[in-house]
Amino acid sequence: MISNIEMLSSPLDVSQIEFRVQSVTGWGVARLLAYKDARADMQVLDKVVGPLNWKREHINGNKNCIVSIYCDDKKQWVSKEDTGTESNTEAAKGLASDSFKRACFNWGIGRELYDYPVIEVKLFEDEWEKQGNKGKAKYSLQPKNWTWFSQFTDGKLNYLGAKDTNGKLRFQHGKFIKPAEQ
């Protein structure tokens, strides 16, 4: 099943990308993080090589994950491995998930996320509240509920944008290229 292997490096659809608030400044600017979850990796592996032609193995107490794809030509498994870090909420599950996602990056899945721009959004007054001089700002921003748009040319991101739940454009990076008429 290695013949389709280059398809693993195709950019993920923006619907497969998650967005969350990473931090909020004291002056009301939110920095957002774009990431993939393990389900996106599993979907891509199932689609590209088939659900029976890949496997994952966790070793070293889930710190390392080996993702293997069966190669019909070589009649053997080809493997890529990486390590992960614990999450703040569920340490063991987060560690297993992170090592799996990182191993999948080695196969090319979602690698374009490394090229995403820094996503900073100015918060509206009703979306945040400053908590004293040294306190963290409280915020109500939910970028995962926004409508995100992406466009790639030759595998490279040339546009990323987002509209909030009210349809207001909140983030824009690059230039959207109108597709040529067919």
Side-chain angles (χ1 to χ4, degrees):
M1 297 308 305
I2 290 286
S3 61
N4 295 343
I5 206 72
E6 61 276 351
M7 290 176 59
L8 292 174
S9 297
S10 296
L12 294 171
D13 187 82
V14 75
S15 66
Q16 295 174 290
I17 305 299
E18 303 283 335
F19 296 88
R20 69 171 175 82
V21 176
Q22 183 177 31
S23 61
V24 176
T25 67
W27 53 91
V29 174
R31 180 169 280 191
L32 308 182
L33 177 67
Y35 65 98
K36 64 179 177 140
D37 68 15
R39 287 180 295 276
D41 292 311
M42 290 183 258
Q43 289 169 350
V44 171
L45 287 165
D46 285 350
K47 181 179 178 182
V48 174
V49 300
L52 300 178
N53 295 308
W54 70 273
K55 64 181 178 177
R56 72 192 257 187
E57 301 170 78
H58 291 274
I59 58 174
N60 297 332
N62 285 341
K63 289 180 183 164
N64 289 58
C65 181
I66 302 166
V67 174
S68 304
I69 296 174
Y70 192 75
C71 177
D72 284 329
D73 296 340
K74 295 182 178 190
K75 303 290 187 228
Q76 69 183 30
W77 291 94
V78 179
S79 303
K80 305 239 181 188
E81 177 180 355
D82 213 322
T83 188
T85 57
E86 295 178 349
S87 68
N88 292 329
T89 54
E90 297 180 66
K93 182 180 173 192
L95 183 59
S97 178
D98 192 49
S99 62
F100 174 63
K101 291 185 294 184
R102 288 174 184 244
C104 289
F105 271 123
N106 290 331
W107 281 106
I109 302 172
R111 202 176 284 168
E112 74 279 359
L113 290 171
Y114 291 122
D115 297 327
Y116 267 44
V118 173
I119 303 170
E120 290 186 331
V121 176
K122 178 72 176 145
L123 300 176
F124 297 138
E125 284 187 29
D126 63 345
E127 292 177 324
W128 74 290
E129 176 183 331
K130 189 174 179 181
Q131 300 293 304
N133 288 341
K134 296 193 179 199
K136 285 188 169 183
K138 287 187 176 183
Y139 60 88
S140 62
L141 191 68
Q142 295 291 321
K144 66 181 181 180
N145 296 332
W146 293 0
T147 303
W148 289 84
F149 307 91
S150 65
Q151 186 181 58
F152 292 84
T153 303
D154 297 325
K156 297 289 183 192
L157 180 72
N158 60 278
Y159 179 80
L160 181 66
K163 289 185 178 181
D164 64 19
T165 54
N166 295 319
K168 180 159 178 57
L169 185 65
R170 297 296 296 272
F171 179 79
Q172 189 166 239
H173 172 80
K175 182 173 173 59
F176 183 81
I177 300 169
K178 186 176 178 180
E181 295 294 323
Q182 297 293 330

